[in-house]
Amino acid sequence: MKKLQVIQKIVEHGVVAVLRGDSADQVFAMAEAAIAGGIKVIEVTMTVPGALHAIEKLSRMYSWKTEDPDKFAVIGAGTVLEPQTARAAIMAGSEFIVGPSLNPETVKICNLYRVPILPGVMTIAEVQHALELGVDIVKLFPGNLYEPGIIKTMKGPMPQANFMPTGGVSLSNLKEWIQGGAVAVGIGSDLTNEAVKNGNMDLVRQKSEQYIQAYREAKGLS
């Protein structure tokens, strides 16, 4: 049940902050700002030095189970390439795992621990393979290689597949992706680049608020 509940939270909130940085502390600050701005699903990429420390700290401070909106967040790990890293991230507190590509052994270890995994896919063959392995949501990556209409095209032969585009999603095209059938979107550099450049994490909060507003409008919620 936990796996399904976490998936439900990801879909319910719809926007995933994909955080990369130079240190665990920097990414932790990004995550706090994003959560304060309304993005409640946080993906800490394993390319961050000390990423597991950031995940551990965030997992202690935030929970997907709480009713307290100030303490609610779903914390996961991204850029997971193989099962060893997936297990380490799960042990550190990750509630979901994201990969840039489809690695069957990584999917299997996540299934063993009943943790959702969102592997990267680019083709119908990869989507089919992911579904055969028991994947619930696939990450369409890199999203900037496609137009939002690709989801409708892929859902032609695979209507049961759930897609989360990541890479190239912006405030200007988020509505197209959501209305095109995406169950969620991943937001990376556009969320954090300006903040890092200016040394001001409050810019992450402001950009997060804009993304949440755009998401709500795309869903007809505001």
Side-chain angles (χ1 to χ4, degrees), residues 25-215:
D25 288 341
Q26 184 186 54
V27 168
F28 180 82
M30 289 178 182
E32 283 201 304
I35 293 168
I39 296 181
K40 299 296 187 176
V41 186
I42 305 297
E43 175 190 332
V44 177
T45 66
M46 295 303 295
T47 54
V48 176
L52 292 178
H53 295 297
I55 291 169
E56 288 173 352
K57 190 174 180 181
L58 289 166
S59 296
R60 287 196 301 267
M61 291 188 62
Y62 299 97
S63 171
W64 64 272
K65 300 176 183 178
T66 182
E67 298 296 326
D68 183 350
D70 293 329
K71 295 297 181 181
F72 174 86
V74 187
I75 308 300
T79 321
V80 175
L81 303 179
E82 28 64 40
Q84 292 83 3
T85 300
R87 186 182 186 280
I90 293 167
M91 295 300 103
S94 294
E95 300 291 357
F96 65 96
I97 299 294
V98 183
S101 61
L102 177 60
N103 181 285
E105 295 306 313
T106 304
V107 175
K108 290 177 184 178
I109 198 75
C110 290
N111 287 342
L112 176 64
Y113 286 98
R114 307 307 297 153
V115 171
I117 177 166
L118 292 71
V121 299
M122 294 183 68
T123 67
I124 284 291
E126 289 177 322
V127 174
Q128 179 174 336
H129 193 188
L131 294 178
E132 290 169 349
L133 291 168
V135 170
D136 295 284
I137 302 174
V138 293
K139 180 176 80 165
L140 189 62
F141 179 79
N144 55 11
L145 295 183
Y146 302 96
E147 296 293 331
I150 188 64
I151 293 179
K152 182 178 179 180
T153 300
M154 287 190 167
K155 275 182 167 289
M158 297 283 178
Q160 70 274 32
N162 298 306
F163 294 90
M164 182 183 79
T166 302
V169 179
S170 65
L171 287 169
S172 63
N173 64 22
L174 183 148
K175 183 176 182 179
E176 292 180 76
W177 280 113
I178 293 298
Q179 295 187 348
V183 298
V185 294
I187 311 297
S189 59
D190 188 58
L191 183 66
T192 59
N193 276 358
E194 188 177 355
V196 172
K197 181 180 178 180
N198 291 279
N200 181 4
M201 288 302 162
D202 194 53
L203 295 175
V204 175
R205 179 189 61 79
Q206 294 174 22
K207 189 59 94 49
S208 296
E209 290 173 347
Q210 293 172 22
Y211 269 105
I212 292 301
Q213 181 60 32
Y215 174 76

